[in-house]
Amino acid sequence: MKRIIAVLTMASVLAGVAVAEDVTSVNAVGFIKQTIADDGWGIVAMPLSSTTGAVEFTVADILVDAPLGTVAWFWRGSLWNFESVLPFVGWSPGTNKFIRGDALFVNAPSGGGPVTYTVTGEVPGADTAGTSTVVVASGWTLVGFSYPVDVLLTNTALASAALDGDVLWWWDVDHWAFASKLPFVGWNPSDAMLKAGQGYFLNAAAGFDWTEPKPYVWP
């Protein structure tokens, strides 16, 4: 799965990209693109804020250009749920809500070749809280880093909040990869990265709040 990250100042956006007239921002805005193979899978996270100031997102807000046949799975409580893009309807049911730091397990449609999915929004900045909190459930939670940067897992608040035995899984093009927190060792492998826009399955022994401070000064 390929990822493309772009962060633009508002001036740059106005100069080179068409934007809706009612969208204004004092922060940087940008996009993250992920390409998923024909009938392939990818975990897409939302690390950006809404340009409208909304706290919650629908799937349509996150995967803004998803083609027909796309299915987005998510884990709620102890059950799988999904939404799909239907002809003349769009995302159905379209009512599920997500926050920055949530992630979706996305299945691209079959027969049309690779699909590039675009996540757009505003870089969390001075007008947002200095921290971001994702509620991790006991068992499985789909999560992503709440900011549009790559960071070593060991440099995050998640690394210390997780318990020994907790495991972080991700989909690496065509296979699963994982990092686990081991007693007296810490995270293995120690160089595991949380990548901007990449989603992860976290299997946690107990629930906790993952509260992550903003890892950059600007904006």
Side-chain angles (χ1 to χ4, degrees):
M1 181 171 60
K2 298 179 180 178
R3 299 182 311 119
I4 300 173
I5 303 173
V7 176
L8 311 169
T9 64
M10 179 53 69
S12 297
V13 172
L14 293 176
V17 180
V19 295
E21 292 181 359
D22 61 346
V23 175
T24 59
S25 172
V26 297
N27 288 337
V29 297
F31 59 87
I32 296 175
K33 291 181 178 288
Q34 294 196 31
T35 299
I36 301 177
D38 187 300
D39 198 29
W41 293 87
I43 311 179
V44 180
M46 183 49 160
L48 300 168
S49 298
S50 170
T51 56
T52 67
V55 175
E56 294 183 319
F57 302 88
T58 64
V59 178
D61 296 326
I62 299 172
L63 301 175
V64 295
D65 54 359
L68 292 175
T70 297
V71 181
W73 293 84
F74 51 96
W75 188 261
R76 287 284 170 85
S78 59
L79 297 172
W80 279 106
N81 293 268
F82 72 92
E83 296 206 10
S84 55
V85 184
L86 304 179
F88 311 109
V89 175
W91 282 104
S92 178
T95 54
N96 292 285
K97 297 298 180 67
F98 305 88
I99 63 170
R100 182 161 55 87
D102 282 340
L104 302 164
F105 194 31
V106 179
N107 183 207
S110 176
V115 178
T116 299
Y117 293 92
T118 305
V119 175
T120 63
E122 190 173 271
V123 177
D127 60 336
T128 59
T131 61
S132 177
T133 299
V134 175
V135 178
V136 174
S138 175
W140 294 96
T141 306
L142 269 166
V143 300
F145 194 61
S146 298
Y147 302 94
V149 294
D150 295 350
V151 61
L152 274 171
L153 172 59
T154 53
N155 289 342
T156 68
L158 173 63
S160 56
L163 299 177
D164 288 344
D166 289 354
V167 183
L168 193 70
W169 293 84
W170 62 94
W171 187 253
D172 188 4
V173 182
D174 60 359
H175 66 278
W176 287 104
F178 70 93
S180 55
K181 190 172 184 180
L182 304 178
F184 310 111
V185 174
W187 285 96
N188 182 45
S190 60
D191 60 351
M193 295 284 294
L194 297 185
K195 297 180 179 180
Q198 171 70 55
Y200 301 84
F201 277 107
L202 177 59
N203 190 4
F208 60 89
D209 287 350
W210 172 14
T211 300
E212 190 71 40
K214 185 161 67 78
Y216 44 81
V217 175
W218 185 91

